[in-house]
Amino acid sequence: MIEVNLDLAVQHGLTLEEYEKIKILIGRNPNFTELGIFSAMWNEHCSYKSSRVWLSTLPTKSKRVIQGPGENAGVIDIDDNDVAIFKIESHNHPSFIEPYQGAATGVGGILRDVFTMGARPIANLNAIRFGSPDHPKTKHLLNGVVAGIAGYGNCIGVPTVGGEVEFDSCYDGNILVNAMNIGLAKKDKVFYSIASGVGNPVIYVGSKTGRDGIHGASMASQEFDLDSESKKPTVQVGDPFAEKLLLEACLELMQTDTIVSIQDMGAAGLTSSSVEMASKGNIGIELNLNKVPCRETGMTPYEMMLSESQERMLIVLKTGKEKEAEKIFKKWDLDFSVIGILTDSKNLTLKYDNKTVCDIPISALADEAPKYEREWVEIKKPEYSDLEKKLDNINLEQTIKNLLSHPNQADKSWVWEQYDHMVMCDTVEFPGGDAAVIRIHGNNKKAIAASVDCTPRYCNSHPYTGGMQAVCETFRNLCAVGAEPIAITNCLNFGNPEKPEIMGQFVGVIKGMTEACKILNYPVISGNVSLYNETNGVGINPTPTIGGVGLIKDISKVKSLRFKNKDNNIYVIGKTLGHLEQSVLCYDLLHLKKGPPPSIDLNDELKNGEAIRSLINKNLIESCHDISSGGLILCLLEMSMASQIGFKLNTNKKSLDRIKFLFGEDQSRYIVEVNDQNKNSFEKILADLNVFFKNIGKTSDKINIDDDLKFNLQELSKLNKEWFYKYNN
C-alpha cells in the first residue's frame, strides 16, 4: 500500500491548498488511486481552473448555435436538417516530446470528439508552430509532426484541407500542434455525453487499455524543463486503423435506438470520461475494473483509470440493449465490455478484486474543482516606434524576394502535399487558399468553408488587438471564398498563468475576441486552453488559434485567390494607411519587433466582409484574397503565383510611402479582380454601401510595379516554393 501524503500530492501536480481541500471534501485522506483521479480531474488541462472565469465571458449563442461549449464539440445549424459539428484542440507538449505520435494522437483525439456526437468527420485542419529553423531540434520536430498528422489522417480516410505553419524562436522549447476537425450529422441524430437512468449499463468499447499516456493530461499542465525527454511514457500511441473501425462501429450503433450517452476517452482516459458523464447527469457511476479490457498484465486500478490509451469510448446504453450493441462492435472486431452501471449514489465508485478501491463524490471531482481568479496586469498598447530612418535604404526588389523566400511566407506545398486532401472527393478548395471548401456530400449546392488563423506577433505586442484580429482574420478568409461566417472554435495557447503578465495576455486576448465575436455575430461554440507552454521559465508568444466555419449556399459561386484572366481590373477594398509596426517586413525581415499591431475597426470589418459576400453572390468579381501578413504586395503575389498571371500595379507613391503602401498590414482589406463588363456595377454597389475601394492596376502577363520594378513570375514562384524542399533535403 502506497502512503499518500503531501509530498506525493505535490508530485501529482497538486498544491498544499488543493490537497487539504480534497481531504475536507471526502472527509479523509485519499488512497493512491483516488489521489491519481483527483490529480487528473483537477489539473489545468481538464479543469480549466485558471481560465474558466474568463472563458465564461465569451459570446456563445446565435440563432444557428445548437450546442455551445461544454460538450465534446460544438454544433451549428446549416439548414436542411443538417448540422456541422467541430472543435479544435492542442497536443503541444506530447508533440514536442515525441513529434510523430504526439501529432498523430492529436488528430485521433479531435476526430473522436466529433464522431462521438454522431457526426461523420469530413475535414481536418491544423495550426502548427515551431522554433527558429536554425534551432537544432526544429527540422526533426517539423518532419515528425507533419508525418504524424499525415499518417493518422490519411489512414483513417479524412481529408486534411487547411492549416498554417509558422516559425518563431519563441517556440524553440514549446512547439504548438493544434488540430481541428469538422463533421456532419443530421439535426435529430446528435448525441451527447449526459448520463441518465439509474441502472443503465456502462459500456467500454474500442481498443484495449495499456500503460501509454498515464499522466498525459498532467504533463500537459506543466512547464517543461531540461528533463522533458523523460516524459516520453506519457505520450499516447495511436492506431488510425483501430480508430476507423471504432468510428464506423459508433456511427452504426447511432442508427439504432440503444444509446443514452456517449463520451470518448481522451485526456485522463477512463477517469475524465466517467466523471464528466456522471457529473453532467447529476448521477453516480460504479465501475468494475476487472472488466476493463487490458493489453498488459498486472495493470492496477490507478493505471487503468489514468491511462490515455487511444481509440476508446465509454457508452451508457438503455437497459436490455447490450446484446444488440455488442453484435455491432464484435462485427468490427472491437472490444466490448459491460464495465459498470449508473447509480443514485452520485459517487464515482470503483471495484477491483471484490474490493472498493475508490469512492468519491462526483461533485468533488467536477463542481468543486479549483477555480482561480489569477492576478493579472493589463498589457497596454505600445507606442509607435521610430521606423522611418531604418527603412530609408531598403532595396525593394531584394526585399520582395526575401519576403517570398522567408519560411513564414514560403509556399507550404511541401507540408500539405503529404496530407491526403482529396479523399472522400468532396474537397472543392484545397490547402493554400484563404479557406478550405468542402462539399456537403450528396448536396449539389451547399458547402462548408473553414479556416484556422492567428498572428502571435500581434498578440504579443497588444493582446487585446491581437485577440480581436485573430477572430477577424478567419472572418475575412471565409468571406473571401463567399461563405457566411457562422461560428468559431478556439485553441488558446499561453505560458504560465501564475505569472500576472501572462495572465494579463490571456485576459487581453479574451477581451479582444469577445468584442470581435459580438460585433461580427460570430460566436464561440467549442475550444481548448493550453497553458504552461514554457521551458525553463521562458514562455511562448500568446497564440490564440481561431478555427472559423462558414456556410456556402451555392457552391457554383465560390471564389478563390487565383487570378482568372489578363487585363482585368484589380481593386483594393478597405483603406490602406500603411501600418508597418509588427508587420512581416519589420518583424521577420528587418527584426524590428517594437511598436503596436494595426488597429481594427470592427464595423468596417463587418461592412467590408458583407460587401465582399454580396459581390460574390452577384457574380461581380472574378477572384478574391484577403490582405493579411505581408501586406498588399504579398497578397497580390500569392494571387499571381497561384494562377501564373501577372499584374501591373500603380502605387502612385514614392520612397517610404511606397513601402508603407506595399507592406503595411492595415486590417479589413481585400484584393479583388473585376472584369470590364462588371466594373460599373461593382463600383456602384460599393459606393452605395459606403465601402472604400480603389482601382490599383490590371492583371497582366508580367509583374510590374510603377514601371520601375519588374519581376519574372516563374522566378518568383520558384523562389517561393523551394524553401521547404531545400530545408528538408
Side-chain angles (χ1 to χ4, degrees):
M1 180 79 65
I2 297 174
E3 180 188 354
V4 174
N5 53 32
L6 176 59
D7 287 344
L8 190 61
V10 170
Q11 291 173 30
H12 279 71
L14 297 163
T15 66
L16 167 62
E17 292 76 15
E18 289 168 353
Y19 179 54
E20 292 300 323
K21 183 178 179 180
I22 289 169
K23 291 193 287 185
I24 292 169
L25 285 171
I26 66 175
R28 55 181 172 80
N29 203 41
N31 63 38
F32 185 58
T33 299
E34 292 170 333
L35 180 70
I37 289 168
F38 269 108
S39 78
M41 292 306 300
W42 283 20
N43 65 48
E44 195 73 57
H45 194 77
C46 293
S47 74
Y48 294 89
K49 58 189 177 186
S50 297
S51 57
R52 288 206 318 271
V53 169
W54 289 100
L55 293 175
S56 66
T57 65
L58 290 166
T60 59
K61 296 180 179 178
S62 77
K63 64 180 183 180
R64 288 192 179 273
V65 176
I66 295 172
Q67 174 65 54
E71 266 291 342
N72 288 289
V75 185
I76 54 172
D77 190 333
I78 56 169
D79 302 333
D80 310 314
N81 198 38
D82 294 324
V83 297
I85 299 177
F86 61 92
K87 187 182 181 183
I88 189 170
E89 271 201 346
S90 63
H91 230 220
N92 303 333
H93 284 42
S95 300
F96 182 77
I97 294 167
E98 215 306 298
Y100 184 95
Q101 290 296 348
T105 52
V107 174
I110 200 65
L111 282 163
R112 289 194 301 280
D113 279 338
V114 168
F115 75 73
T116 192
M117 297 196 67
R120 178 169 291 281
I122 62 164
N124 291 322
L125 298 94
N126 57 76
I128 53 179
R129 290 182 163 85
F130 304 91
S132 167
D134 298 329
H135 191 275
K137 284 191 173 182
T138 297
K139 187 182 293 187
H140 163 70
L141 292 167
L142 170 68
N143 280 274
V145 165
V146 171
I149 292 170
Y152 208 101
N154 296 356
C155 288
I156 202 170
V158 177
T160 300
V161 298
E164 55 179 355
V165 185
E166 184 181 20
F167 301 88
D168 191 293
S169 59
C170 76
Y171 305 110
D172 282 348
N174 280 88
I175 66 171
L176 300 184
V177 177
N178 297 172
M180 179 178 172
N181 183 260
I182 306 166
L184 293 178
K186 291 298 179 182
K187 197 174 183 178
D188 57 353
K189 279 290 187 179
V190 178
F191 291 81
Y192 298 95
S193 59
I194 306 168
S196 63
V198 172
N200 279 333
V202 179
I203 316 297
Y204 173 119
V205 300
S207 297
K208 288 180 168 59
T209 295
R211 291 188 169 97
D212 54 315
I214 293 173
H215 294 303
S218 298
M219 178 268 292
S221 306
Q222 299 169 356
E223 293 182 29
F224 280 153
D225 54 30
L226 296 174
D227 194 38
S228 61
E229 291 292 321
S230 67
K231 296 183 172 70
K232 281 189 176 180
T234 63
V235 179
Q236 310 92 331
V237 178
D239 182 348
F241 300 105
E243 180 123 329
K244 174 65 173 174
L245 299 176
L246 183 62
L247 184 158
E248 298 299 342
C250 287
L251 293 182
E252 184 174 336
L253 183 69
M254 288 165 175
Q255 299 307 308
T256 67
D257 185 27
T258 61
I259 298 175
V260 175
S261 62
I262 181 168
Q263 172 79 38
D264 84 293
M265 295 190 212
L270 188 52
T271 289
S272 63
S273 56
S274 57
V275 171
E276 287 172 12
M277 293 174 84
S279 173
K280 290 173 184 176
N282 193 28
I283 201 166
I285 186 167
E286 181 178 305
L287 305 179
N288 180 355
L289 298 183
N290 292 97
K291 300 287 188 179
V292 173
C294 294
R295 66 169 183 261
E296 299 182 45
T297 58
M299 289 192 69
T300 65
Y302 177 96
E303 292 171 326
M304 283 185 267
M305 292 303 294
L306 296 187
S307 167
E308 294 183 10
S309 294
Q310 300 290 284
E311 297 86 38
R312 302 179 299 160
M313 291 279 187
L314 201 64
I315 305 174
V316 176
L317 292 177
K318 295 178 179 178
T319 301
K321 299 291 186 177
E322 295 92 329
K323 292 295 182 186
E324 183 179 353
E326 183 177 19
K327 186 177 178 181
I328 292 171
F329 284 91
K330 292 299 182 186
K331 183 185 83 171
W332 290 99
D333 198 27
L334 293 165
D335 277 293
F336 178 99
S337 180
V338 181
I339 66 168
I341 192 170
L342 298 184
T343 70
D344 59 5
S345 71
K346 298 187 179 181
N347 279 15
L348 172 67
T349 305
L350 305 178
K351 304 282 189 179
Y352 184 70
D353 288 349
N354 296 316
K355 296 178 183 176
T356 300
V357 294
C358 170
D359 197 15
I360 304 172
I362 294 287
S363 61
L365 294 166
D367 300 338
E368 297 294 336
K371 183 166 70 174
Y372 297 127
E373 295 191 33
R374 301 280 192 195
E375 182 184 352
W376 61 279
V377 295
E378 183 179 358
I379 313 296
K380 297 187 183 299
K381 185 179 283 191
E383 297 293 324
Y384 281 85
S385 60
D386 183 17
L387 286 175
E388 298 205 7
K389 290 182 180 178
K390 297 171 183 176
L391 300 177
D392 276 347
N393 299 316
I394 282 184
N395 180 313
L396 266 178
E397 182 178 355
Q398 190 56 51
T399 300
I400 288 171
K401 290 180 178 179
N402 291 345
L403 176 74
L404 289 176
S405 59
H406 190 279
N408 286 341
Q409 279 67 54
D411 183 282
K412 307 300 190 298
S413 298
W414 178 88
V415 176
W416 58 258
E417 283 174 353
Q418 297 182 57
Y419 308 147
D420 190 339
H421 52 277
M422 293 302 295
V423 66
M424 301 175 75
C425 301
D426 286 320
T427 308
V428 177
E429 282 294 321
F430 47 84
D434 286 303
V437 177
I438 310 97
R439 182 186 298 104
I440 293 181
H441 196 76
N443 190 308
N444 291 326
K445 293 198 72 174
K446 201 163 62 173
I448 289 288
S451 174
V452 290
D453 285 286
C454 183
T455 311
R457 62 183 185 277
Y458 291 179
C459 298
N460 192 56
S461 171
H462 189 229
Y464 177 82
T465 304
M468 194 184 292
Q469 190 273 342
V471 172
C472 292
E473 176 69 12
T474 65
F475 182 86
R476 285 198 298 275
N477 283 334
L478 296 175
C479 290
V481 299
E484 171 199 350
I486 291 178
I488 68 169
T489 181
N490 60 73
C491 191
L492 307 178
N493 307 275
F494 290 80
N496 184 347
E498 298 166 46
K499 298 177 179 178
E501 64 274 17
I502 301 296
M503 198 65 208
Q505 293 175 345
F506 185 84
V507 173
V509 162
I510 290 287
K511 287 184 174 184
M513 288 173 57
T514 298
E515 191 68 17
C517 289
K518 283 179 178 177
I519 298 297
L520 302 177
N521 190 26
Y522 196 33
V524 178
I525 66 164
S526 61
N528 169 245
V529 177
S530 174
L531 302 177
Y532 296 96
N533 290 290
E534 297 200 359
T535 297
N536 297 325
V538 180
I540 62 167
N541 286 346
T543 309
T545 304
I546 306 297
V549 173
L551 175 63
I552 294 169
K553 294 182 179 180
D554 185 351
I555 202 168
S556 68
K557 295 181 177 180
V558 167
K559 296 300 172 189
S560 75
L561 58 75
R562 296 178 286 279
F563 286 138
K564 298 302 182 294
N565 288 294
K566 296 172 186 176
D567 207 35
N568 280 338
N569 302 283
I570 300 173
Y571 288 83
V572 59
I573 292 176
K575 293 179 181 177
T576 299
L577 303 174
H579 184 100
L580 288 176
E581 281 86 354
Q582 300 300 326
S583 67
V584 166
L585 172 67
C586 291
Y587 191 95
D588 281 337
L589 301 185
L590 304 177
H591 308 293
L592 305 172
K593 300 185 178 183
K594 296 181 178 179
S599 59
I600 299 171
D601 185 321
L602 291 171
N603 292 316
D604 277 355
E605 195 71 63
L606 181 63
K607 183 171 64 172
N608 295 358
E610 288 176 341
I612 287 289
R613 298 203 304 276
S614 176
L615 293 167
I616 291 173
N617 285 330
K618 290 178 169 63
N619 290 313
L620 292 177
I621 61 177
E622 304 299 306
S623 62
C624 180
H625 191 17
D626 89 299
I627 301 175
S628 55
S629 291
L632 185 145
I633 186 62
L634 184 59
C635 179
L636 284 167
L637 288 168
E638 287 174 341
M639 297 175 83
S640 192
M641 292 184 295
S643 60
Q644 290 300 295
I645 295 173
F647 58 86
K648 181 175 174 56
L649 176 64
N650 303 310
T651 71
N652 297 314
K653 308 283 184 181
K654 299 296 180 185
S655 184
L656 181 62
D657 285 342
R658 185 159 70 162
I659 293 171
K660 289 180 177 180
F661 182 81
L662 292 172
F663 295 94
E665 295 186 8
D666 308 294
Q667 299 293 291
S668 315
R669 296 185 298 158
Y670 304 80
I671 294 288
V672 296
E673 175 191 8
V674 182
N675 63 39
D676 284 338
Q677 183 181 343
N678 291 327
K679 182 179 177 182
N680 291 338
S681 299
F682 166 87
E683 291 188 354
K684 185 178 186 307
I685 284 177
L686 292 181
D688 290 346
L689 293 171
N690 194 30
V691 170
F692 182 90
F693 65 93
K694 184 178 178 67
N695 191 318
I696 58 171
K698 289 255 188 180
T699 54
S700 173
D701 57 346
K702 297 178 181 177
I703 295 176
N704 185 331
I705 302 172
D706 294 330
D707 289 326
D708 65 347
L709 275 175
K710 298 179 182 180
F711 297 91
N712 182 293
L713 177 54
Q714 287 73 36
E715 230 178 78
L716 291 185
S717 298
K718 182 184 177 188
L719 190 66
N720 184 236
K721 194 159 185 167
E722 64 185 7
W723 186 89
F724 273 90
Y725 293 95
K726 282 186 174 180
Y727 182 70
N728 290 287
N729 289 323

